[in-house]
Amino acid sequence: MRILVIGSGAREHAIVKSLKREGGHTLYASPGNAGIAEDAEIVQLDVQNGREITRFAQEQDIALVIVGPEAPLIAGAVNDPRERGIAVFGPSRDAAQLEGSKTFAKEIMSEAGVPTGGAVRASSIQEVIEAMGEFGAPYVIKADGLAAGKGVLVTEDSQEAQAHAMHWLERGAVLVEEFLEGREVSLFFISDGDDLISLSPAQDYKRLQDADAGPNTGGMGAYSPVPWIAEAFGSEAEFIAQVKAQVAQPVINVMNERGTPFVGLLYCGLIVNGTTIKVIEFNARFGDPETQVILPRLKTPLSELLFAAATGTLGTKPPAEFSDSSAVTVVLASGGYPTENSEPVPLGGLGNLQGVDVIHAATAKQDGTLYSAGGRVLNLVATADSLEVAREVIYSQIDEVDFPGVQYRSDIAELS
Ligand code: AMP
Ligand code: GLY
Protein backbone atom coordinates (compact mmCIF):
# COMPACT_ATOMS: atom_id res chain seq x y z
CA MET A 1 0.00 0.00 0.00
CA ARG A 2 1.20 3.57 -0.63
CA ILE A 3 0.89 5.33 2.73
CA LEU A 4 1.53 8.92 3.88
CA VAL A 5 2.17 9.48 7.61
CA ILE A 6 1.81 13.05 8.88
CA GLY A 7 3.86 14.10 11.91
CA SER A 8 7.39 14.39 13.23
CA GLY A 9 7.50 12.69 16.62
CA ALA A 10 8.25 9.34 18.21
CA ARG A 11 4.63 8.28 17.76
CA GLU A 12 4.93 8.73 14.00
CA HIS A 13 8.29 6.98 13.94
CA ALA A 14 6.71 4.04 15.79
CA ILE A 15 3.81 4.00 13.31
CA VAL A 16 6.19 4.10 10.34
CA LYS A 17 8.33 1.30 11.80
CA SER A 18 5.24 -0.81 12.41
CA LEU A 19 4.13 -0.35 8.78
CA LYS A 20 7.63 -1.10 7.57
CA ARG A 21 7.69 -4.38 9.54
CA GLU A 22 4.59 -5.47 7.60
CA GLY A 23 6.61 -5.21 4.38
CA GLY A 24 5.38 -4.39 0.91
CA HIS A 25 4.40 -0.77 1.53
CA THR A 26 5.75 2.44 0.03
CA LEU A 27 5.98 4.89 2.91
CA TYR A 28 6.04 8.68 2.85
CA ALA A 29 6.23 10.97 5.88
CA SER A 30 5.86 14.68 6.41
CA PRO A 31 7.59 16.52 8.00
CA GLY A 32 9.27 13.52 9.70
CA ASN A 33 12.59 13.57 11.57
CA ALA A 34 16.05 12.09 11.13
CA GLY A 35 14.91 8.66 12.35
CA ILE A 36 11.76 8.56 10.24
CA ALA A 37 13.93 9.47 7.24
CA GLU A 38 15.64 6.07 7.58
CA ASP A 39 12.32 4.26 7.22
CA ALA A 40 10.20 6.43 4.89
CA GLU A 41 10.65 9.00 2.16
CA ILE A 42 10.34 12.49 3.65
CA VAL A 43 8.17 14.99 1.78
CA GLN A 44 7.75 18.63 2.65
CA LEU A 45 4.06 19.50 2.93
CA ASP A 46 2.15 22.12 4.87
CA VAL A 47 0.57 19.47 7.07
CA GLN A 48 -2.05 21.82 8.54
CA ASN A 49 -3.41 22.35 5.05
CA GLY A 50 -5.83 19.65 3.91
CA ARG A 51 -5.72 20.81 0.28
CA GLU A 52 -2.02 20.18 0.14
CA ILE A 53 -2.43 16.70 1.63
CA THR A 54 -5.12 15.98 -0.98
CA ARG A 55 -2.91 17.21 -3.82
CA PHE A 56 0.01 15.03 -2.73
CA ALA A 57 -2.22 12.01 -2.15
CA GLN A 58 -3.79 12.35 -5.60
CA GLU A 59 -0.50 12.94 -7.40
CA GLN A 60 1.21 10.04 -5.65
CA ASP A 61 -1.74 7.68 -5.69
CA ILE A 62 -1.68 7.37 -1.89
CA ALA A 63 -4.05 4.66 -0.61
CA LEU A 64 -4.03 5.72 3.05
CA VAL A 65 -3.16 8.92 4.91
CA ILE A 66 -2.46 8.64 8.66
CA VAL A 67 -2.44 11.86 10.66
CA GLY A 68 -0.47 11.45 13.90
CA PRO A 69 -0.48 14.71 15.91
CA GLU A 70 -3.37 16.71 17.30
CA ALA A 71 -2.46 20.08 15.76
CA PRO A 72 -3.27 19.23 12.12
CA LEU A 73 -6.38 17.29 13.22
CA ILE A 74 -7.72 20.23 15.18
CA ALA A 75 -6.82 22.52 12.25
CA GLY A 76 -9.06 20.30 10.08
CA ALA A 77 -6.33 18.81 7.90
CA VAL A 78 -8.33 15.64 7.21
CA ASN A 79 -11.52 17.38 6.10
CA ASP A 80 -10.47 18.11 2.54
CA PRO A 81 -8.91 14.74 1.68
CA ARG A 82 -11.86 12.89 3.23
CA GLU A 83 -14.39 14.97 1.28
CA ARG A 84 -12.50 14.08 -1.89
CA GLY A 85 -12.66 10.36 -1.23
CA ILE A 86 -9.15 9.74 0.06
CA ALA A 87 -8.89 7.14 2.83
CA VAL A 88 -7.60 9.11 5.79
CA PHE A 89 -7.17 8.01 9.38
CA GLY A 90 -7.91 10.82 11.85
CA PRO A 91 -10.97 12.76 12.99
CA SER A 92 -12.39 15.80 11.21
CA ARG A 93 -11.99 19.28 12.66
CA ASP A 94 -15.29 19.04 14.54
CA ALA A 95 -14.68 15.54 15.89
CA ALA A 96 -11.14 16.48 16.99
CA GLN A 97 -12.72 18.94 19.42
CA LEU A 98 -12.88 15.96 21.78
CA GLU A 99 -9.23 16.77 22.36
CA GLY A 100 -9.18 20.41 21.29
CA SER A 101 -11.61 21.62 23.93
CA LYS A 102 -11.84 20.15 27.40
CA THR A 103 -15.24 21.82 27.82
CA PHE A 104 -16.51 20.12 24.67
CA ALA A 105 -15.21 16.77 25.93
CA LYS A 106 -17.06 17.23 29.23
CA GLU A 107 -20.24 18.15 27.32
CA ILE A 108 -20.02 14.96 25.23
CA MET A 109 -19.34 12.86 28.33
CA SER A 110 -22.34 14.33 30.06
CA GLU A 111 -24.55 13.66 27.02
CA ALA A 112 -23.21 10.11 26.70
CA GLY A 113 -23.45 9.36 30.42
CA VAL A 114 -19.74 8.64 30.67
CA PRO A 115 -18.24 8.54 34.19
CA THR A 116 -15.86 11.46 34.79
CA GLY A 117 -15.01 13.95 37.52
CA GLY A 118 -16.94 17.14 38.18
CA ALA A 119 -15.70 20.25 36.39
CA VAL A 120 -16.51 23.93 36.25
CA ARG A 121 -15.61 26.17 33.32
CA ALA A 122 -14.35 29.52 34.59
CA SER A 123 -13.65 32.74 32.71
CA SER A 124 -12.57 34.85 35.68
CA ILE A 125 -10.37 34.33 38.71
CA GLN A 126 -13.42 34.80 40.97
CA GLU A 127 -15.10 31.85 39.29
CA VAL A 128 -11.89 29.85 39.63
CA ILE A 129 -11.64 30.57 43.37
CA GLU A 130 -15.28 29.68 43.87
CA ALA A 131 -14.88 26.36 42.06
CA MET A 132 -11.69 25.60 43.99
CA GLY A 133 -13.67 26.13 47.18
CA GLU A 134 -16.34 23.75 45.93
CA PHE A 135 -13.97 20.89 44.99
CA GLY A 136 -11.29 21.43 47.66
CA ALA A 137 -7.63 20.34 47.47
CA PRO A 138 -5.80 18.92 45.62
CA TYR A 139 -6.70 21.48 42.98
CA VAL A 140 -6.85 20.57 39.30
CA ILE A 141 -6.66 23.53 36.92
CA LYS A 142 -6.68 23.03 33.14
CA ALA A 143 -6.43 25.34 30.17
CA ASP A 144 -9.51 24.70 28.03
CA GLY A 145 -7.74 24.56 24.66
CA LEU A 146 -4.55 22.92 23.41
CA ALA A 147 -1.57 23.79 25.58
CA ALA A 148 1.20 21.42 24.44
CA GLY A 149 1.04 19.42 27.67
CA LYS A 150 1.54 22.54 29.80
CA GLY A 151 -2.07 23.45 30.53
CA VAL A 152 -2.70 21.13 33.47
CA LEU A 153 -1.65 21.76 37.05
CA VAL A 154 -2.46 19.46 39.96
CA THR A 155 -1.42 20.99 43.29
CA GLU A 156 -2.25 21.23 46.99
CA ASP A 157 -1.12 24.85 46.93
CA SER A 158 -4.02 27.21 46.38
CA GLN A 159 -1.76 30.20 45.50
CA GLU A 160 0.02 28.15 42.84
CA ALA A 161 -3.34 26.96 41.48
CA GLN A 162 -4.59 30.54 41.22
CA ALA A 163 -1.38 31.74 39.54
CA HIS A 164 -1.69 28.94 36.94
CA ALA A 165 -5.34 29.87 36.37
CA MET A 166 -4.43 33.57 35.94
CA HIS A 167 -1.78 32.66 33.36
CA TRP A 168 -4.22 30.66 31.23
CA LEU A 169 -7.18 32.99 31.75
CA GLU A 170 -5.25 35.56 29.71
CA ARG A 171 -5.50 33.12 26.80
CA GLY A 172 -9.04 31.81 27.29
CA ALA A 173 -11.22 29.88 29.70
CA VAL A 174 -9.95 27.37 32.24
CA LEU A 175 -11.51 24.29 33.78
CA VAL A 176 -11.42 23.62 37.49
CA GLU A 177 -11.84 19.90 38.07
CA GLU A 178 -12.52 17.52 40.85
CA PHE A 179 -9.33 15.63 41.77
CA LEU A 180 -9.68 11.97 40.84
CA GLU A 181 -7.91 9.50 43.09
CA GLY A 182 -6.57 6.27 41.61
CA ARG A 183 -4.15 4.82 39.07
CA GLU A 184 -3.90 6.12 35.55
CA VAL A 185 -4.04 3.99 32.42
CA SER A 186 -4.42 4.72 28.71
CA LEU A 187 -6.69 2.65 26.49
CA PHE A 188 -7.02 3.26 22.75
CA PHE A 189 -9.88 2.43 20.39
CA ILE A 190 -9.71 2.54 16.62
CA SER A 191 -13.01 3.87 15.28
CA ASP A 192 -14.58 4.06 11.84
CA GLY A 193 -17.32 6.32 13.18
CA ASP A 194 -19.61 3.41 14.18
CA ASP A 195 -17.58 0.40 15.20
CA LEU A 196 -14.60 0.11 17.49
CA ILE A 197 -11.56 -2.11 17.80
CA SER A 198 -9.64 -1.88 21.07
CA LEU A 199 -5.88 -1.99 21.49
CA SER A 200 -4.04 -3.25 24.58
CA PRO A 201 -3.77 -0.87 27.57
CA ALA A 202 -0.58 1.00 28.40
CA GLN A 203 0.69 2.96 31.35
CA ASP A 204 2.23 6.36 30.71
CA TYR A 205 4.47 8.34 33.12
CA LYS A 206 3.50 12.00 32.87
CA ARG A 207 5.79 13.54 35.49
CA LEU A 208 9.37 14.47 34.68
CA GLN A 209 11.13 12.77 37.57
CA ASP A 210 11.22 9.48 39.43
CA ALA A 211 8.42 8.72 41.89
CA ASP A 212 6.18 11.16 40.00
CA ALA A 213 8.05 14.25 41.13
CA GLY A 214 8.51 17.35 39.00
CA PRO A 215 6.28 18.98 36.40
CA ASN A 216 3.88 17.30 33.98
CA THR A 217 5.39 16.47 30.60
CA GLY A 218 4.19 14.96 27.34
CA GLY A 219 5.16 11.57 28.79
CA MET A 220 8.53 10.21 30.00
CA GLY A 221 8.01 6.50 29.47
CA ALA A 222 5.44 3.76 29.16
CA TYR A 223 4.84 0.04 29.37
CA SER A 224 2.32 -2.45 28.04
CA PRO A 225 0.52 -4.66 29.02
CA VAL A 226 -0.53 -3.40 32.45
CA PRO A 227 -0.49 -6.26 34.99
CA TRP A 228 -2.38 -4.40 37.72
CA ILE A 229 -5.32 -3.87 35.35
CA ALA A 230 -5.66 -7.59 34.69
CA GLU A 231 -5.46 -8.17 38.46
CA ALA A 232 -8.08 -5.56 39.34
CA PHE A 233 -10.60 -6.68 36.69
CA GLY A 234 -9.85 -10.42 36.52
CA SER A 235 -8.53 -10.01 32.98
CA GLU A 236 -7.45 -7.35 30.53
CA ALA A 237 -10.39 -8.33 28.31
CA GLU A 238 -12.88 -7.61 31.09
CA PHE A 239 -11.40 -4.15 31.66
CA ILE A 240 -11.51 -3.38 27.94
CA ALA A 241 -15.12 -4.57 27.71
CA GLN A 242 -16.11 -2.25 30.56
CA VAL A 243 -14.34 0.78 29.08
CA LYS A 244 -15.90 0.07 25.72
CA ALA A 245 -19.40 -0.21 27.20
CA GLN A 246 -19.15 2.68 29.66
CA VAL A 247 -16.95 5.10 27.75
CA ALA A 248 -15.90 4.51 24.16
CA GLN A 249 -19.08 3.25 22.49
CA PRO A 250 -21.38 5.85 24.12
CA VAL A 251 -19.01 8.65 23.02
CA ILE A 252 -18.80 7.32 19.46
CA ASN A 253 -22.61 7.06 19.38
CA VAL A 254 -23.10 10.64 20.58
CA MET A 255 -20.57 11.97 18.06
CA ASN A 256 -22.48 10.12 15.36
CA GLU A 257 -25.86 11.44 16.47
CA ARG A 258 -24.44 14.97 16.37
CA GLY A 259 -23.45 14.48 12.73
CA THR A 260 -19.72 14.59 13.52
CA PRO A 261 -18.65 10.94 13.43
CA PHE A 262 -15.30 10.22 15.02
CA VAL A 263 -13.04 8.38 12.57
CA GLY A 264 -9.61 7.78 14.02
CA LEU A 265 -8.11 6.90 17.34
CA LEU A 266 -10.06 7.58 20.50
CA TYR A 267 -7.54 7.87 23.32
CA CYS A 268 -9.21 7.24 26.67
CA GLY A 269 -7.12 8.61 29.55
CA LEU A 270 -8.60 6.85 32.58
CA ILE A 271 -8.33 6.81 36.35
CA VAL A 272 -9.03 3.43 37.90
CA ASN A 273 -9.90 3.13 41.56
CA GLY A 274 -10.72 -0.43 42.59
CA THR A 275 -12.93 -1.37 39.66
CA THR A 276 -14.36 2.12 39.19
CA ILE A 277 -13.34 3.71 35.91
CA LYS A 278 -13.44 7.46 35.28
CA VAL A 279 -12.26 9.50 32.30
CA ILE A 280 -9.65 12.21 32.88
CA GLU A 281 -9.27 13.17 29.25
CA PHE A 282 -9.76 12.16 25.66
CA ASN A 283 -7.25 12.63 22.92
CA ALA A 284 -8.08 12.36 19.26
CA ARG A 285 -4.92 10.51 18.21
CA PHE A 286 -2.44 7.85 19.26
CA GLY A 287 -0.74 8.56 22.61
CA ASP A 288 2.92 9.37 22.77
CA PRO A 289 4.84 7.46 24.25
CA GLU A 290 2.16 4.74 24.74
CA THR A 291 2.08 3.92 21.00
CA GLN A 292 5.76 3.00 21.14
CA VAL A 293 4.96 0.08 23.49
CA ILE A 294 1.58 -0.93 22.05
CA LEU A 295 2.52 -1.30 18.38
CA PRO A 296 5.47 -3.70 18.90
CA ARG A 297 2.97 -6.09 20.58
CA LEU A 298 0.30 -5.75 17.86
CA LYS A 299 0.15 -8.85 15.67
CA THR A 300 -2.68 -7.69 13.39
CA PRO A 301 -1.27 -5.54 10.58
CA LEU A 302 -1.70 -1.90 11.61
CA SER A 303 -2.32 -0.83 8.02
CA GLU A 304 -5.36 -3.14 7.81
CA LEU A 305 -6.90 -1.69 10.97
CA LEU A 306 -6.33 1.93 10.00
CA PHE A 307 -7.47 1.40 6.42
CA ALA A 308 -10.66 -0.31 7.64
CA ALA A 309 -11.32 2.62 9.98
CA ALA A 310 -10.70 5.13 7.20
CA THR A 311 -13.06 3.31 4.84
CA GLY A 312 -15.85 2.51 7.30
CA THR A 313 -15.35 -1.25 7.30
CA LEU A 314 -14.08 -1.90 10.82
CA GLY A 315 -17.24 -3.88 11.66
CA THR A 316 -16.11 -6.65 9.30
CA LYS A 317 -12.78 -7.12 11.11
CA PRO A 318 -11.96 -9.52 13.94
CA PRO A 319 -10.52 -8.05 17.18
CA ALA A 320 -6.90 -6.93 17.08
CA GLU A 321 -4.44 -9.57 18.24
CA PHE A 322 -1.55 -8.91 20.60
CA SER A 323 1.47 -11.00 21.49
CA ASP A 324 2.05 -12.06 25.11
CA SER A 325 5.29 -10.09 25.13
CA SER A 326 5.87 -6.99 27.26
CA ALA A 327 7.23 -3.71 25.99
CA VAL A 328 8.86 -0.81 27.81
CA THR A 329 9.96 2.58 26.55
CA VAL A 330 12.12 5.16 28.28
CA VAL A 331 12.12 8.71 26.92
CA LEU A 332 15.40 10.59 26.68
CA ALA A 333 14.74 14.33 27.00
CA SER A 334 16.90 17.43 26.64
CA GLY A 335 18.35 19.30 29.62
CA GLY A 336 15.81 22.10 29.95
CA TYR A 337 12.69 20.05 29.19
CA PRO A 338 9.82 20.80 29.75
CA THR A 339 10.28 24.40 30.90
CA GLU A 340 13.04 25.74 28.66
CA ASN A 341 13.72 25.58 24.95
CA SER A 342 16.47 23.09 24.34
CA GLU A 343 19.53 23.89 22.27
CA PRO A 344 20.59 21.16 19.82
CA VAL A 345 23.32 18.83 21.09
CA PRO A 346 25.07 16.03 19.17
CA LEU A 347 23.85 12.48 19.86
CA GLY A 348 26.02 9.38 19.77
CA GLY A 349 26.43 5.81 20.92
CA LEU A 350 23.12 4.59 19.52
CA GLY A 351 24.88 1.92 17.48
CA ASN A 352 26.09 0.27 20.71
CA LEU A 353 22.58 -0.60 21.88
CA GLN A 354 21.55 -4.24 21.53
CA GLY A 355 17.99 -5.48 21.51
CA VAL A 356 16.75 -1.90 21.80
CA ASP A 357 14.69 -0.15 19.16
CA VAL A 358 15.65 3.51 18.92
CA ILE A 359 12.64 5.64 18.09
CA HIS A 360 13.30 9.27 17.20
CA ALA A 361 11.12 11.97 18.72
CA ALA A 362 12.97 15.17 17.83
CA THR A 363 16.17 14.72 15.88
CA ALA A 364 17.83 16.27 12.86
CA LYS A 365 20.90 15.33 10.86
CA GLN A 366 23.49 17.84 9.76
CA ASP A 367 26.63 16.92 7.83
CA GLY A 368 26.17 13.31 8.87
CA THR A 369 25.88 14.11 12.60
CA LEU A 370 22.69 13.43 14.53
CA TYR A 371 21.45 16.28 16.74
CA SER A 372 18.65 16.72 19.23
CA ALA A 373 15.94 19.04 17.92
CA GLY A 374 13.48 19.52 20.77
CA GLY A 375 12.43 18.50 24.28
CA ARG A 376 11.67 14.81 24.02
CA VAL A 377 14.43 13.54 21.73
CA LEU A 378 14.68 9.73 21.65
CA ASN A 379 12.68 6.77 22.95
CA LEU A 380 14.43 3.51 23.75
CA VAL A 381 12.05 0.58 23.33
CA ALA A 382 12.60 -3.04 24.36
CA THR A 383 10.26 -5.99 23.98
CA ALA A 384 10.74 -9.19 26.00
CA ASP A 385 8.90 -12.02 27.75
CA SER A 386 8.36 -9.88 30.83
CA LEU A 387 8.34 -6.21 31.82
CA GLU A 388 11.26 -6.90 34.18
CA VAL A 389 13.45 -8.18 31.36
CA ALA A 390 12.39 -5.43 28.94
CA ARG A 391 13.21 -2.70 31.46
CA GLU A 392 16.54 -4.34 32.31
CA VAL A 393 17.50 -4.45 28.61
CA ILE A 394 17.04 -0.67 28.43
CA TYR A 395 18.46 0.43 31.76
CA SER A 396 21.53 -1.80 31.54
CA GLN A 397 22.53 -0.03 28.31
CA ILE A 398 21.17 3.48 28.70
CA ASP A 399 24.58 4.92 29.60
CA GLU A 400 25.83 3.89 26.16
CA VAL A 401 23.86 6.78 24.71
CA ASP A 402 25.94 9.91 24.42
CA PHE A 403 23.52 12.82 24.95
CA PRO A 404 24.87 15.84 26.88
CA GLY A 405 22.41 17.07 29.52
CA VAL A 406 20.02 14.14 29.02
CA GLN A 407 17.13 13.67 31.45
CA TYR A 408 15.30 10.38 31.85
CA ARG A 409 13.36 8.56 34.54
CA SER A 410 14.97 5.52 36.09
CA ASP A 411 11.72 3.99 37.41
CA ILE A 412 9.75 3.25 34.24
CA ALA A 413 7.92 -0.10 34.54
CA GLU A 414 9.22 -0.59 38.08
CA LEU A 415 6.10 -2.19 39.44
CA SER A 416 7.01 -3.34 42.92
P1 AMP B 1 -4.52 15.84 31.05
O1 AMP B 1 -3.72 16.67 30.11
O2 AMP B 1 -5.92 16.26 31.20
O3 AMP B 1 -4.33 14.38 30.80
O4 AMP B 1 -3.82 16.00 32.48
C1 AMP B 1 -2.45 15.72 32.68
C2 AMP B 1 -2.26 14.87 33.92
O5 AMP B 1 -2.73 15.55 35.08
C3 AMP B 1 -3.05 13.59 33.88
O6 AMP B 1 -2.40 12.60 33.18
C4 AMP B 1 -3.18 13.28 35.36
O7 AMP B 1 -2.02 12.69 35.86
C5 AMP B 1 -3.34 14.63 35.95
N1 AMP B 1 -4.77 14.94 36.08
C6 AMP B 1 -5.53 15.58 35.16
N2 AMP B 1 -6.81 15.70 35.58
C7 AMP B 1 -6.87 15.13 36.80
C8 AMP B 1 -7.91 14.94 37.75
N3 AMP B 1 -9.16 15.42 37.54
N4 AMP B 1 -7.62 14.30 38.88
C9 AMP B 1 -6.36 13.84 39.12
N5 AMP B 1 -5.34 14.00 38.27
C10 AMP B 1 -5.56 14.63 37.12
N1 GLY C 1 1.00 10.31 26.60
C1 GLY C 1 0.04 11.33 26.69
C2 GLY C 1 -0.45 11.82 25.40
O1 GLY C 1 -0.15 11.30 24.35
O2 GLY C 1 -1.19 12.78 25.42
Side-chain angles (χ1 to χ4, degrees), residues 80-229:
D80 190 77
R82 179 162 296 138
E83 280 157 21
R84 289 164 204 269
I86 293 162
V88 42
F89 183 79
S92 66
R93 179 191 285 116
D94 288 344
Q97 283 303 304
L98 265 186
E99 171 164 4
S101 162
K102 293 188 188 284
T103 311
F104 178 80
K106 286 285 185 191
E107 209 176 286
I108 296 293
M109 282 188 262
S110 158
E111 205 169 317
V114 168
T116 185
V120 169
R121 184 176 197 268
S123 343
S124 70
I125 194 68
Q126 288 74 24
E127 287 170 8
V128 168
I129 293 169
E130 203 174 303
M132 282 170 54
E134 187 185 320
F135 292 127
Y139 305 106
V140 181
I141 311 284
K142 299 187 180 183
D144 186 27
L146 273 196
K150 294 176 185 152
V152 178
L153 181 72
V154 181
T155 179
E156 296 274 349
D157 182 336
S158 123
Q159 292 306 318
E160 196 189 2
Q162 289 180 36
H164 184 78
M166 289 289 273
H167 174 82
W168 287 101
L169 278 169
E170 282 167 25
R171 292 157 182 82
V174 303
L175 243 66
V176 182
E177 284 190 14
E178 172 191 356
F179 177 79
L180 298 175
E181 191 91 59
R183 289 182 90 166
E184 230 173 309
V185 63
S186 306
L187 183 60
F188 303 163
F189 291 86
I190 292 171
S191 168
D192 68 358
D194 288 299
D195 290 303
L196 293 170
I197 285 185
S198 58
L199 300 182
S200 184
Q203 167 97 57
D204 179 19
Y205 290 74
K206 289 242 166 68
R207 300 287 186 132
L208 181 68
Q209 289 151 0
D210 285 8
D212 288 337
N216 264 322
T217 69
M220 293 299 291
Y223 65 83
S224 175
V226 182
W228 58 265
I229 278 288

Side-chain angles (χ1 to χ4, degrees), residues 11 99 186 188 204 206 217-219 267 281 283 285-290 376:
R11 162 187 45 221
E99 171 164 4
S186 306
F188 303 163
D204 179 19
K206 289 242 166 68
T217 69
Y267 170 130
E281 64 160 349
N283 290 319
R285 36 94 195 157
F286 279 97
D288 187 347
E290 294 96 318
R376 290 190 293 172

